[in-house]
Amino acid sequence: MKYKLLVLIIFVSIQSSFCQVRINFGVDTLDVNVVSAIKFYRQYIGEFSKGTKVDYSKYYSAEDCKQFKTPDKMAFSLMGSDPIYKWGKPTIISIKQENKCVHIKTLFAETDSLKELTVYYICNNYVGFDKTMKPYFINPMSINIKQWQSATNRNVTYYFPKYHQFNKVRSDSLIRKITQLEKDWNLAPIQIRYYFTDTNDEMQIFKGFDYNFGMGSTDKPSGLSDATDNLVFSSGWGENYFHEIVHLYLNKLHPNSPLNEGLAVFYGGSLGHDLYWHLHRINQYLKVHPEIDLNFLDKFYYMDNLTNPNSALKALLCELTFKKKGIAGLKKIMTYNSLDEILSEEFNVKKLDGDKFFRSTLQNY
Ligand SMILES: [Zn+2]
């Protein structure tokens, strides 16, 4: 998933602005429940400008707070730890009263000095009311999941749309990998909720978006892990997306390791393909791009939308280590905090020899 974020950072110049939430013309705001819901919504959006952690218990239903430590699953689903409500200017484009709650649809966008419009996303928020008419948000997932089905296998509970028939064989294959991972790394099982769809657009709609800048362009399998609540969101991989599961188990062991993404790619591939497939493509690409200097690996994070070369080359370091030293080697390599250190200590590659090292190693794949 890191790949997508990096690319977006290039294309999107974000100006943080916590302005007033505007209401578009034509939106009826006369009803007393609607007035209360808008006030509540504005207050919530304003919370993200304070820079402190939002107290979700003040805003979300008791049911959602019981289910999720962070019940707003849209807030951090597009740019990691940067809340999406910081982007652009919010305009409420429709308000409807449905099933005793107020459904607010908001466009987050902004114009530049030439009045060119950049649209970040359109999201849906649902405001319900308790017996005292105090408002609270309902996570769109909690509404949408009523149309889904679920199945549990060992420590993984799957949630998926009705059109899908649960594939136990694929799920068993995932469970085998998880069991081995726990054994190798001496870890207890984690209770995981695993949401999956055929396409990324469906997943975004499930979370509460009508549109965001990541939709439409993602036709490849993709996923996202949520370590706060031990969730996996995956599209196009069915029951067997190991990559995000690896993040849930291993990221917390060495949060400062530069290889966390590489390790997940080593174990679970990325963008629908295994590591070897990506390494082969990178090798071909580098042959016609001698100007790319792999001594500065972090600058080589984009080649096309099928392969993230940065995470694949880091996965290559995991692969080489595993082949030579097994799990013990992998455990050690994750303890370093810098790539330079890893290359010099574990691969005997001195500064500025990295380009030669990666290019010659790739020849063998
Ligand atoms: Zn990842």
Side-chain angles (χ1 to χ4, degrees):
M1 195 60 195
K2 206 173 175 185
Y3 150 80
K4 201 160 128 190
L5 298 185
L6 283 165
V7 173
L8 288 168
I9 288 168
I10 303 169
F11 290 116
V12 179
S13 97
I14 295 153
Q15 291 179 14
S16 295
S17 67
F18 285 107
C19 58
Q20 184 71 305
V21 180
R22 278 187 66 242
I23 298 171
N24 208 37
F25 77 93
V27 178
D28 187 349
T29 58
L30 292 177
D31 182 88
V32 63
N33 284 356
V34 170
V35 171
S36 166
I38 292 172
K39 190 178 164 210
F40 181 67
Y41 180 55
R42 280 181 165 149
Q43 190 185 326
Y44 178 67
I45 300 292
E47 287 274 2
F48 288 89
S49 65
K50 294 176 186 165
T52 52
K53 209 172 173 299
V54 175
D55 178 1
Y56 293 102
S57 67
K58 279 166 45 189
Y59 290 99
Y60 273 81
S61 73
E63 199 187 319
D64 282 337
C65 290
K66 207 172 116 194
Q67 279 210 66
F68 305 111
K69 284 182 199 147
T70 306
D72 185 344
K73 291 302 173 198
M74 287 189 290
F76 303 100
S77 66
L78 296 179
M79 282 298 260
S81 58
D82 202 27
I84 61 168
Y85 305 115
K86 282 168 75 175
W87 303 3
K89 296 179 179 179
T91 303
I92 294 175
I93 53 174
S94 102
I95 295 182
K96 281 180 189 154
Q97 298 203 56
E98 304 167 343
N99 306 320
K100 294 183 187 162
C101 71
V102 176
H103 173 186
I104 302 173
K105 195 184 288 291
T106 316
L107 169 83
F108 279 72
E110 68 191 333
T111 49
D112 61 16
S113 56
L114 298 170
K115 295 193 176 172
E116 302 280 1
L117 181 68
T118 299
V119 177
Y120 296 118
Y121 60 95
I122 298 168
C123 67
N124 297 286
N125 289 82
Y126 300 87
V127 180
F129 299 90
D130 69 10
K131 282 179 194 142
T132 65
M133 292 313 283
K134 194 170 157 274
Y136 60 88
F137 287 117
I138 304 162
N139 180 340
M141 282 167 49
S142 300
I143 295 171
N144 295 333
I145 207 160
K146 288 175 185 157
Q147 307 300 320
W148 282 23
Q149 47 185 338
S150 76
T152 300
N153 194 359
R154 194 176 176 259
N155 59 323
V156 180
T157 301
Y158 295 94
Y159 300 92
F160 48 94
K162 287 236 164 80
Y163 61 72
H164 181 83
Q165 195 172 358
F166 187 66
N167 187 326
K168 181 75 167 39
V169 175
R170 283 184 66 88
S171 169
D172 284 343
S173 152
L174 180 77
I175 297 298
R176 275 195 300 278
K177 290 179 211 165
I178 293 175
T179 312
Q180 189 61 46
L181 191 77
E182 289 168 358
K183 204 174 139 211
D184 288 344
W185 290 79
N186 263 330
L187 298 166
I190 298 173
Q191 292 304 317
I192 294 167
R193 281 173 283 178
Y194 181 121
Y195 303 86
F196 71 95
T197 52
D198 278 0
T199 64
N200 178 48
D201 282 14
E202 289 171 271
M203 184 56 79
Q204 299 309 319
I205 290 165
F206 173 68
K207 284 184 181 176
F209 292 104
D210 280 3
Y211 165 81
N212 66 50
F213 53 74
M215 289 169 74
S217 56
T218 314
D219 49 357
K220 293 164 295 302
S222 61
L224 190 73
S225 58
D226 177 330
T228 313
D229 288 305
N230 289 326
L231 314 179
V232 167
F233 298 98
S234 155
S235 47
W237 282 83
E239 294 81 353
N240 190 9
Y241 193 20
F242 191 43
H243 176 121
E244 300 301 340
I245 303 265
V246 171
H247 280 313
L248 290 184
Y249 273 94
L250 302 186
N251 274 24
K252 60 187 95 164
L253 300 183
H254 301 288
N256 297 323
S257 166
L259 296 184
N260 274 318
E261 185 58 26
L263 190 62
V265 175
F266 161 73
Y267 272 118
S270 83
L271 299 165
H273 294 280
D274 67 16
L275 175 60
Y276 296 104
W277 187 89
H278 291 295
L279 292 178
H280 175 73
R281 295 192 76 244
I282 296 169
N283 192 29
Q284 301 301 319
Y285 186 86
L286 288 173
K287 277 180 187 163
V288 290
H289 288 279
E291 77 285 1
I292 291 169
D293 185 353
L294 299 175
N295 286 309
F296 305 95
L297 192 58
D298 281 340
K299 287 189 179 162
F300 184 37
Y301 53 79
Y302 184 78
M303 58 181 245
D304 57 28
N305 62 1
L306 297 175
T307 290
N308 174 346
N310 184 277
S311 62
L313 289 174
K314 286 174 178 171
L316 172 63
L317 298 178
C318 298
E319 158 86 7
L320 293 169
T321 303
F322 181 73
K323 268 195 172 156
K324 215 168 147 192
K325 299 176 181 169
I327 291 291
L330 276 186
K331 283 181 181 170
K332 179 153 183 252
I333 203 176
M334 295 307 290
T335 61
Y336 296 98
N337 291 339
S338 87
L339 198 61
D340 284 349
E341 241 183 317
I342 291 166
L343 286 170
S344 71
E345 298 294 318
E346 295 293 321
F347 296 93
N348 204 19
V349 175
K350 299 295 164 218
K351 222 171 168 40
L352 301 182
D353 284 343
D355 189 67
K356 215 165 84 191
F357 166 74
F358 280 114
R359 283 176 187 268
S360 64
T361 307
L362 279 169
Q363 294 294 338
N364 301 323
Y365 282 84

